[in-house]
């Protein structure tokens, strides 16, 4: 597999990883792993090997640098570098970000709000000039200064006191997603002495601003504790509010919309458990609402209706695509079998109800219909009326047979009415678009929505549900003469071998036709019920402008077509994910969208597992492959519960430790174990040394084995970001360079000229 260095025509040999057999035996099966020694990231030999791989990549891809530079400049020219966000109001302050040309990171700012008594005026965000500072504007945090002297910078969660007196924020300087929490007085801009190391993403201030809540991870990178820190005390005195010891459960929390309760949830992809804790009473303890023993996947939002506390539930109890229900707090004091949840929105076969949120006026629903995301609203007044009428109907219907001790609880009869007929849904013109709520301040008359499509840059709206009126707050500007009419996005449906119709998003320049000559890039993910939604991205334009057809394959294992679409691509049906991608590629070739000799494949993380499996299934279909932080050694990882996130994966893939059928099934598809003596296409595996989600060792082993076994002559590369995490390097310009590298590699492999 020697390749010629194009600058001097000297053969360049790839690094050769030595072989040191490691034996792994499960269920009577022994697998010999020659490259497991690469797991030791503290080893000088391992680091030298990764450095040699990076040197090899640089040498053999240096001819792609002009294309990388061109794509980087195109991204830069199409990005309004000096920009600002739409302010969000918390208490008496508007908070927003600024970015400046030439700077990698954003600045986080605030400016005073007004209180005139006109709530629409008071909740209308101020216009932030790009070239001037507003009266009273303060920079709370400058990411560029935070990055100075650090190899990496990523800002995690932030929390602002309602009265504006405290600002908490979390910083990651390694890329391993373990954050250090610091505290600032926004008036004096001075920092408190309190510092919390090793925190995870969740972060919230108690209503009195005297306590902060945060999560920490265990040795497997699983969030397992919620801790409480009292400001002014040593971090060693922090107390554990809640601990989750089940290795298959992920722990997290949020605050209720009115900030009076903490909602604690432990869960996985199959079921959840929810507790709540009063935040007004410092001595309160968590109280169980729905136990994991009931095996119900659900989310809960506390809501105040009149003088009574209720809990909204988006749940899958006898409802695979979820229902929306509500129950008073007192109902959860009963045994689960005796609880009565009033259904507000019934289950629908064609609509997946994804989640909910509330503010003082509205119940906000996130749902997916016809593969795309939408938002709906219900007035809490309507919900209150429905509760009252349902209770009356239940009492009336049971009067004749009611027991002496009183009427039955809320009616949940399957044939009862629901509120689906009175929801309000903002309307947009495009079919392939995404709409989601991004902010719902408790006292605001507006709910903030985000909107985008494949060729419509992001737009931010404030929606007044009472008037059914959208107020455009920001429309992303794309400099450089961008014209959306020059591009086309269509929904196509490919045929899987088992007859299933696979939705495809086919993106192209308007003058590109299905004539069988087009270089084509097929992208996929297909895991964890994640959906690849319509979204505008500037870098993709550089690929389309070179005549490439960009296809997103919405394969099984994702969530585009509801819960069943996900379940058909997980555990013992996981192979559907891989065969769907291959079948989609063959359909694109057969219908003229793709030149059969110029097809590329790309995917990342679990999508990297997809790409690795596809490379084994049908290497002849693809000219070039990019696998980003790829999960290509999945079986080795999941067999070791001590490795990051392994136990959490059992609900996605099955447990190969205890189940021999799962073990055999996984071994039959995981990329590393199934490398075979065929001609593999040109491959680049891109990873990060400090990635905690998919360890660098997986692509390192995969590349070493591919090089050993392939019968072809195409190069196979390992590119490692030394100072990066799961998302690569930090800083927007560095990310643009990473994207440009990936796309230039693909374009070169597809023989697409500049």
């Amino acid at each position: 597999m020697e390749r010629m260095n194009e600058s001097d025509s000297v053969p360049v040999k790839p690094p050769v990883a030595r072989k040191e057999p490691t034996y792994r035996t499960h269920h009577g099966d022994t697998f010999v792993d020659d490259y497991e020694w690469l797991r030791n990231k503290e080893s000088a030999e391992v680091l030298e090997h990764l450095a040699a791989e990076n040197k090899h990549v640089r040498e053999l891809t240096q001819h792609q640098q002009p294309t990388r530079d061109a794509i980087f400049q195109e991204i830069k020219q199409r990005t309004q570098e000096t920009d600002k966000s739409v302010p969000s109001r918390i208490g008496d302050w508007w908070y927003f970000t600024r970015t400046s040309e030439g700077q990698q990171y954003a600045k986080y700012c605030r400016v005073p709000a007004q209180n005139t008594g006109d709530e629409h005026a008071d909740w209308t965000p101020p216009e932030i000039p790009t070239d001037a500072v507003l009266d009273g504007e303060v920079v709370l945090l400058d990411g560029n200064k935070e990055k100075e002297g650090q190899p990496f910078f990523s800002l995690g969660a932030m929390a602002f006191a309602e009265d504006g007196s405290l600002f908490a924020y979390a910083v990651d300087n390694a890329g391993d997603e373990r954050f250090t929490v610091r505290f600032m007085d926004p008036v004096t801009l001075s920092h408190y002495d309190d510092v919390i190391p090793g925190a995870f993403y969740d972060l919230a201030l108690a209503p009195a601003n005297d306590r902060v809540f945060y999560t920490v991870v265990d040795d497997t990178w699983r969030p397992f504790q919620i801790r409480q820190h009292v400001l002014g005390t040593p971090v060693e005195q922090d107390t554990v509010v809640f601990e989750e010891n089940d290795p298959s459960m992920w722990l997290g929390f949020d605050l209720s919309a009115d900030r009076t309760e903490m909602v604690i949830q432990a869960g996985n992809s199959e079921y959840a458990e929810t507790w709540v804790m009063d935040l007004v009473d410092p001595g309160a303890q968590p109280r169980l609402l729905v136990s994991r023993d009931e095996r119900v996947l659900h989310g809960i939002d506390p809501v105040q209706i009149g003088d009574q506390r209720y809990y909204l539930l988006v749940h899958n109890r006898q409802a695979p695509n979820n229902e929306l229900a509500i129950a008073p707090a007192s109902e959860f004091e009963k045994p689960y079998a005796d609880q009565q949840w009033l259904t507000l929105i019934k289950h629908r076969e064609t609509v997946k109800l994804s989640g909910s949120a509330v503010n003082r006026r509205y119940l906000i629903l996130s749902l997916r219909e016809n593969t795309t995301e939408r938002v709906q609203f219900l007035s809490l007044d309507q919900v209150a009326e429905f509760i009252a009428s349902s209770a009356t109907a239940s009492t009336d219907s049971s009067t004749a047979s009611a027991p002496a001790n009183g009427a039955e609880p809320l009616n949940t009869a399957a044939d009862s009415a629901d509120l689906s007929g009175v929801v309000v849904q903002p309307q947009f013109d495009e079919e392939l678009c995404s709409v989601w709520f991004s902010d719902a301040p408790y006292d605001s008359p507006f709910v903030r929505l985000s909107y985008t499509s494949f060729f419509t840059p992001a737009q931010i709206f404030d929606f007044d549900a009472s008037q059914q009126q959208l107020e455009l707050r920001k429309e992303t500007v794309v400099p450089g003469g961008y014209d959306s009419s020059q591009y086309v996005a269509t929904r196509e449906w490919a045929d899987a071998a088992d007859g299933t119709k696979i939705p495809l998003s086919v993106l192209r320049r308007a003058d590109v036709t299905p004539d069988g000559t087009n270089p084509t890039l097929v992208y996929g993910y297909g895991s964890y019920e994640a959906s690849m939604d319509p979204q505008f991205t500037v870098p993709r334009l550089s690929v389309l402008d070179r005549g490439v057809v960009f296809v997103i394959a919405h394969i099984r294992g994702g969530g585009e077509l509801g819960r069943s679409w996900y379940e058909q691509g997980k555990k013992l049906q996981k192979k559907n994910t891989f065969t769907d991608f291959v079948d989609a590629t063959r359909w694109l070739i057969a219908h003229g969208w793709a030149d059969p000799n110029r097809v590329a494949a790309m995917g990342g993380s679990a999508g990297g597992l997809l790409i690795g499996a596809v490379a084994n299934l049908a290497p002849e279909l693809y000219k070039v492959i990019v696998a980003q932080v790829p999960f290509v050694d999945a079986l080795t990882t999941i067999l070791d519960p001590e490795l990051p996130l392994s136990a959490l994966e059992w609900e996605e893939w099955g447990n190969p430790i205890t189940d021999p059928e799962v073990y055999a099934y996984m071994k039959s598809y995981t990329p590393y174990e199934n490398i075979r003596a065929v001609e593999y296409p040109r491959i680049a595996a891109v990873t990060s040394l400090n990635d905690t989600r998919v360890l660098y060792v997986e692509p390192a082993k995969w590349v070493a084995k591919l090089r050993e076994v392939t019968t072809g002559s195409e190069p196979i590369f390992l590119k490692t970001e030394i100072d990066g995490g799961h998302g690569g390097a930090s800083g927007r310009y560095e990310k643009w360079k990473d994207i440009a590298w990936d796309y230039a590699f693909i374009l070169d492999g597809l023989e697409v000229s500049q």
Side-chain angles (χ1 to χ4, degrees), residues 4-57:
M4 302 296 287
N5 185 317
E6 299 194 8
S7 64
D8 53 19
S9 299
V10 176
V12 177
K13 293 183 178 181
V16 177
R18 64 177 175 83
K19 299 171 73 170
E20 179 183 308
T22 300
Y23 299 90
R24 188 192 71 203
T25 301
H26 288 270
H27 306 294
D29 175 76
T30 298
F31 175 70
V32 182
D33 189 342
D34 290 325
Y35 302 108
E36 176 64 14
W37 66 271
L38 287 166
R39 187 174 301 278
N40 183 7
K41 82 183 273 189
E42 305 302 323
S43 162
E45 183 183 6
V46 170
L47 294 176
E48 288 169 5
H49 177 76
L50 297 179
E53 290 281 12
N54 281 347
K55 182 174 182 286
H56 181 63
V57 170

Side-chain angles (χ1 to χ4, degrees), residues 462-667:
D462 277 346
F463 183 63
D464 184 341
S466 65
Q467 303 297 319
Q468 297 191 32
Q469 185 173 348
L470 286 163
E471 296 284 348
L472 180 63
R473 302 302 189 198
K474 180 178 180 179
E475 188 169 14
T476 301
V477 175
V478 182
Y482 171 70
D483 180 1
S484 63
S485 68
Q486 295 179 356
Y487 306 91
V488 177
T490 58
R491 170 57 43 80
E492 308 292 341
W493 296 85
D495 299 306
D498 63 2
T500 300
K501 292 290 186 180
I502 308 163
L504 309 177
S505 295
V506 178
L507 317 180
R508 64 193 188 279
R509 215 174 51 213
D511 60 354
V512 171
T513 58
D515 60 5
T517 67
N518 304 312
T520 299
L521 170 57
V522 188
Y523 177 86
Y525 187 77
S527 290
Y528 303 109
E529 203 174 358
S531 298
M532 301 296 101
D533 291 321
Q535 184 176 10
F536 177 83
T537 66
V538 164
R540 190 168 54 216
L541 299 177
S542 292
V543 176
L544 299 176
D545 285 347
R546 288 163 172 80
V548 177
V549 176
F550 194 113
V551 179
I552 301 171
H554 304 285
I555 48 187
R556 282 176 280 186
E560 286 88 348
L561 292 173
R563 183 71 179 183
S564 65
W565 194 249
Y566 167 53
E567 291 177 341
Q568 290 176 51
K570 68 179 297 192
K571 291 191 174 179
L572 295 178
Q573 298 188 77
K574 187 61 197 172
K575 289 182 183 179
N576 286 332
T577 303
F578 316 134
T579 56
D580 279 1
F581 192 91
V582 171
D583 290 342
T585 303
R586 290 188 170 126
W587 186 93
L588 290 163
I589 293 170
H591 287 77
W593 286 113
D595 178 342
N597 298 311
R598 291 200 295 167
V599 180
M602 183 167 70
S605 197
L609 181 150
L610 159 72
I611 296 304
V614 163
N616 290 332
L617 282 174
E620 73 283 355
L621 284 181
Y622 304 97
K623 185 76 172 176
V624 57
I625 283 174
V626 171
Q628 302 160 315
V629 290
F631 189 35
V632 284
D633 193 20
L635 185 53
T636 300
T637 296
I638 296 173
L639 281 168
D640 186 350
E642 300 300 317
L643 290 177
L645 301 183
S646 290
L648 284 168
E649 299 290 349
W650 296 338
E651 300 304 328
E652 181 73 16
W653 317 94
N655 188 343
I657 299 173
T658 60
D659 191 330
E661 183 181 14
V662 170
Y663 174 87
Y665 187 77
M666 287 193 68
K667 191 180 179 187

Side-chain angles (χ1 to χ4, degrees), residues 10 13 17 63 139 210 309 394 417 428 550 611 686 736:
V10 176
K13 293 183 178 181
H63 65 284
V139 176
D210 57 340
R309 196 67 164 178
S394 176
F428 297 89
F550 194 113
I611 296 304
V686 181
W736 295 351

Side-chain angles (χ1 to χ4, degrees), residues 133 175 184 370 385 472 562 593:
V133 175
M184 176 190 288
N370 296 326
E385 292 173 4
L472 180 63
W593 286 113

Side-chain angles (χ1 to χ4, degrees), residues 268-287:
N268 52 44
S269 65
E270 306 251 317
Y271 54 89
E273 177 171 280
T274 301
W275 300 65
V276 292
M277 187 176 77
D278 186 350
L279 293 180
V280 178
D281 176 6
Q285 296 298 312
R287 179 169 63 91

